[in-house]
């Protein structure tokens, strides 16, 4: 006979200033089984100690590197509050860091499409069965509309700034995984070229409910919105028909922006304000090492194509790699200025350092294995140093400068000027580069992306 319904606590430590889909979606699945679920986003609220003390299962959502590092002290607190609770880590970074997580007390590791697995875990505990210690599922699920009850209002998360206006931002996912095998991407070790869709009716109902709560703009968090371009376009066409004033943004590869350029006009017409694209580098040799599937020339073309179709491109970068040189970095700054992208690029994107996490395909490269030190559990990565220590110091100096300037709400072009000065030994930015901020460039006020 099954026991009484279990008490479940789902925790998120950080998800880029978004209301966590990774809590709301499994909460719906687990509640459908009759279990009691408490959701807590620790980036916005304290650990719910009373719920943790009563919990049979505490599961931490680990979608990214930062979230996983922040989870370690939370797990320690949970174990002190309730030594009997079953601990689970789930999400993209859980299977990648299984050894580390087990070492700090996590008993079950779930990856890939985790909703059914989490609901099954709750069922196993309810029935007194010992659950499987780890499971990564790439099954095609029929999703349930996420249940966001108990989460902080979307008004407490990152907002959209556009044309001098702030908009309340919601978040959803229309797909997971990715068809591509970019060597540095954390999606690859788990999905290995597979992607899975969230059914159109589920996505639209999730957005419908968020709009009813005051959301004015939606971020689609798919690793690549155009992995299934037909699925994506059907969603945004239906979305615009139902909510014509709602705007949105999505992430799309440079490769897909060029291959699917015939769809870009419809993105703009249906309310897409900007497209994030992981450019990573403007050095073709580095792009080849990363297996990005595009070149510097493709990036330049994508800037032109998106502008002509009325879309804002928001490029992201990993400028500090083992292969960067001073001239490479200065050339990146020059190109962004030449393309008039100083306002489009979040300043932190000019200070990102290559991360080599557990399971990374970067370790396939002999030259990376040659510079990588032993895995550091505290950092959840393999450390490396540049052969020119001055470039490591430049990266640290730019990061420190950005942190100071963003606290003071300095404009992106002014921060760009300071980065230019650091990289060019005080040589001033050429006068022909305009530094007047353009309020028409939309962006979310959550600068971190890792």
């Amino acid at each position: 006979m099954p026991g009484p319904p279990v008490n479940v606590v789902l925790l998120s430590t950080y998800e880029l200033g978004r209301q966590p889909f990774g809590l709301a979606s499994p909460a719906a699945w687990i509640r459908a089984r009759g279990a009691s679920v408490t959701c807590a986003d620790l980036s916005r609220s304290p650990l719910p100690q009373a719920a943790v003390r009563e919990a049979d299962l505490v599961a931490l959502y680990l979608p990214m590197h930062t979230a996983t590092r922040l989870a370690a002290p939370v797990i320690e607190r949970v174990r002190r509050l309730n030594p009997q609770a079953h601990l689970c880590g789930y999400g993209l970074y859980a299977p990648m860091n299984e050894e580390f997580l087990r070492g700090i007390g996590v008993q079950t590791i779930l990856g890939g499409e985790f909703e059914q697995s989490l609901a099954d875990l709750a069922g196993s505990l309810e029935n007194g069965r010992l659950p499987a210690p780890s499971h990564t599922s790439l099954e095609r699920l029929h999703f349930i509309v996420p249940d966001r009850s108990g989460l902080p209002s979307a008004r407490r998360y990152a907002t959209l700034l556009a044309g001098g206006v702030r908009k309340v931002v919601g978040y959803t996912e229309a797909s997971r995984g990715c068809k591509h095998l970019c060597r540095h991407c954390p999606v690859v070790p788990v999905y290995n070229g597979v992607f899975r869709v969230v059914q159109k009716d589920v996505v639209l109902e999730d957005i419908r409910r968020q709009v009813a709560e005051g959301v004015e703009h939606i971020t689609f968090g798919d690793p690549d919105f155009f992995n299934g371009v037909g699925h994506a376009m059907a969603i945004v066409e239906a979305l615009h028909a139902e909510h014509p004033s709602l705007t949105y943004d999505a992430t799309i590869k440079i490769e897909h922006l060029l291959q699917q350029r015939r769809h870009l006009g419809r993105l703009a017409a249906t309310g897409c304000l900007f497209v994030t694209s992981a450019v990573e580098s403007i050095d073709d040799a580095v792009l080849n090492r990363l297996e990005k599937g595009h070149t510097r020339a493709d990036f330049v073309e994508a800037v032109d194509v998106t502008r002509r179709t009325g879309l804002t491109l928001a490029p992201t970068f990993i400028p500090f790699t083992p292969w960067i040189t001073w001239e490479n970095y200065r050339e990146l700054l020059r190109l962004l200025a030449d393309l008039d992208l100083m306002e489009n690029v979040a300043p932190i994107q000019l200070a990102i350092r290559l991360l080599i996490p557990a399971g990374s395909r970067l370790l396939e490269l002999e030259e990376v294995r040659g510079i990588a030190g032993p895995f550091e559990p505290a950092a959840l990565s393999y450390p490396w140093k540049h052969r020119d220590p001055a470039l490591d110091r430049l990266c640290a100096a730019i990061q420190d400068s950005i942190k100071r300037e963003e606290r003071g709400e300095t404009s992106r072009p002014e921060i760009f000027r300071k980065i230019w000065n650091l990289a060019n030994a005080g040589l001033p930015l050429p006068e022909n580069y305009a530094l007047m901020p353009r309020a028409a460039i939309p962006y979310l006020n959550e600068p971190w992306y890792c």
Side-chain angles (χ1 to χ4, degrees):
M1 292 292 291
V6 295
N7 292 319
V8 180
V9 174
L10 301 179
L11 301 175
S12 172
T13 56
Y14 178 63
E15 198 183 357
L16 295 168
R18 304 161 172 166
Q19 190 189 64
F21 183 93
L23 296 190
S25 183
W29 287 69
I30 299 170
R31 286 172 178 145
R33 295 186 67 105
S36 169
V37 181
T38 299
C39 293
D41 180 355
L42 304 186
S43 74
R44 294 296 185 272
S45 58
L47 182 72
Q49 296 188 31
V52 168
R53 288 191 182 99
E54 297 297 320
D56 302 290
L57 168 63
V58 178
L60 288 96
Y61 178 46
L62 308 174
M64 55 187 293
H65 182 260
T66 300
T68 310
R69 292 188 66 184
L70 291 172
V74 175
I75 291 167
E76 183 180 347
R77 288 186 65 196
V78 168
R79 293 180 67 193
R80 288 200 306 265
L81 287 167
N82 185 348
Q84 304 306 314
H86 188 92
L87 289 177
C88 171
Y90 69 98
L92 197 62
Y93 268 73
M96 293 169 59
N97 293 285
E98 181 169 355
E99 182 178 352
F100 167 75
L101 293 169
R102 293 206 182 284
I104 59 175
V106 176
Q107 294 150 284
T108 298
I109 307 294
L110 302 177
E113 305 300 277
F114 49 74
E115 282 86 353
Q116 183 69 64
S117 300
L118 265 173
D120 290 346
L121 173 58
S124 294
L125 296 174
E126 182 180 313
N127 293 316
R129 297 196 306 267
L130 188 66
S134 63
H135 181 54
T136 294
S137 171
L138 299 182
E139 294 179 19
R140 288 181 171 87
L141 301 181
H142 195 289
F143 284 83
I144 299 173
V145 178
D147 185 347
R148 299 174 183 274
S149 58
L151 285 171
S153 163
R155 297 179 186 278
R156 294 185 56 193
Y157 290 89
T159 56
L160 176 82
L161 305 177
V165 175
R166 287 181 181 267
K167 286 189 172 185
V168 179
V169 177
Y171 176 83
T172 196
E173 295 175 5
S175 67
R176 291 202 188 120
C178 186
K179 291 180 177 179
H180 300 272
L181 300 173
C182 302
R183 200 185 293 275
H184 62 300
C185 178
V187 175
V188 174
V190 176
Y191 283 88
N192 196 30
V194 172
F195 94 105
R196 294 288 181 248
V197 303
V198 181
Q199 288 74 26
K200 174 185 167 184
D201 60 329
V202 174
V203 177
L204 293 174
E205 178 60 24
D206 183 32
I207 295 172
R208 189 177 295 122
R209 294 181 184 184
Q210 292 184 70
V211 170
E213 294 297 321
V215 162
E216 303 163 292
H217 177 93
I218 288 288
T219 290
F220 285 100
D222 310 42
D224 193 302
F225 198 51
F226 274 6
N227 268 316
V229 66
H231 175 62
M233 294 308 300
I235 286 173
V236 298
E237 293 285 5
L239 182 65
H240 183 65
E242 184 174 350
H243 309 285
S245 64
L246 188 73
T247 55
Y248 65 91
D249 68 271
T251 297
I252 304 175
K253 282 173 63 71
I254 293 295
E255 181 180 356
H256 285 168
L257 289 173
L258 297 181
Q259 290 174 351
Q260 305 292 345
R261 65 183 73 195
R262 67 188 183 279
H263 294 294
L264 300 186
R266 287 306 299 160
L267 286 185
T270 55
C272 185
L273 289 187
F274 65 94
V275 171
T276 300
S277 195
V279 178
E280 314 301 34
S281 176
I282 61 165
D283 184 324
D284 285 346
V286 173
L287 290 168
N288 186 56
R289 288 183 176 98
L290 299 182
E291 296 188 6
K292 278 300 299 177
H294 69 257
T295 64
R296 171 191 172 124
D298 292 334
F299 165 51
V300 173
E301 183 180 1
V303 172
D304 178 61
V305 168
T306 51
R307 278 186 174 145
R308 285 191 285 106
T309 53
L311 290 173
T312 294
L313 186 66
T316 65
F317 296 95
I318 307 174
F320 288 94
T321 69
W323 310 287
I324 190 72
T325 67
W326 282 90
E327 182 51 34
N328 290 153
Y329 190 75
R330 290 165 179 158
E331 175 58 21
L332 170 63
L333 299 183
R334 284 195 295 270
L335 181 62
L336 294 178
D338 286 340
L339 295 175
D340 196 19
L341 290 174
M342 292 176 285
E343 184 79 3
N344 298 54
V345 179
I348 194 60
Q349 294 303 320
L350 301 176
I352 297 291
R353 199 168 185 274
L354 183 68
L355 184 71
I356 310 175
S360 174
R361 284 193 64 223
L362 287 165
L363 295 168
E364 296 173 0
L365 297 176
E366 184 177 352
E367 58 187 320
V368 171
R369 295 195 301 273
I371 64 166
F375 186 78
E376 291 186 355
L380 295 180
S381 62
Y382 293 88
W384 62 272
K385 294 181 180 179
H386 199 281
R387 62 183 178 274
D388 181 354
L391 279 164
D392 285 337
R393 292 194 294 270
L394 173 65
C395 179
I398 293 171
Q399 289 179 356
D400 289 343
S401 177
I402 290 168
K403 290 175 186 176
R404 289 195 305 271
E405 298 300 335
E406 286 186 334
R407 282 197 296 268
E409 297 187 355
T410 307
S411 72
R412 285 182 172 186
E414 285 300 329
I415 297 176
F416 184 93
R417 183 199 295 275
K418 294 177 186 296
I419 294 171
W420 176 283
N421 290 341
L422 285 169
N424 289 275
L427 184 69
L429 193 67
E431 292 183 2
N432 60 308
Y433 292 149
L435 277 178
M436 292 297 292
R438 298 179 305 283
I441 300 295
Y443 64 92
L444 301 177
N445 62 350
E446 173 62 48
W448 297 93
Y449 188 80
C450 61

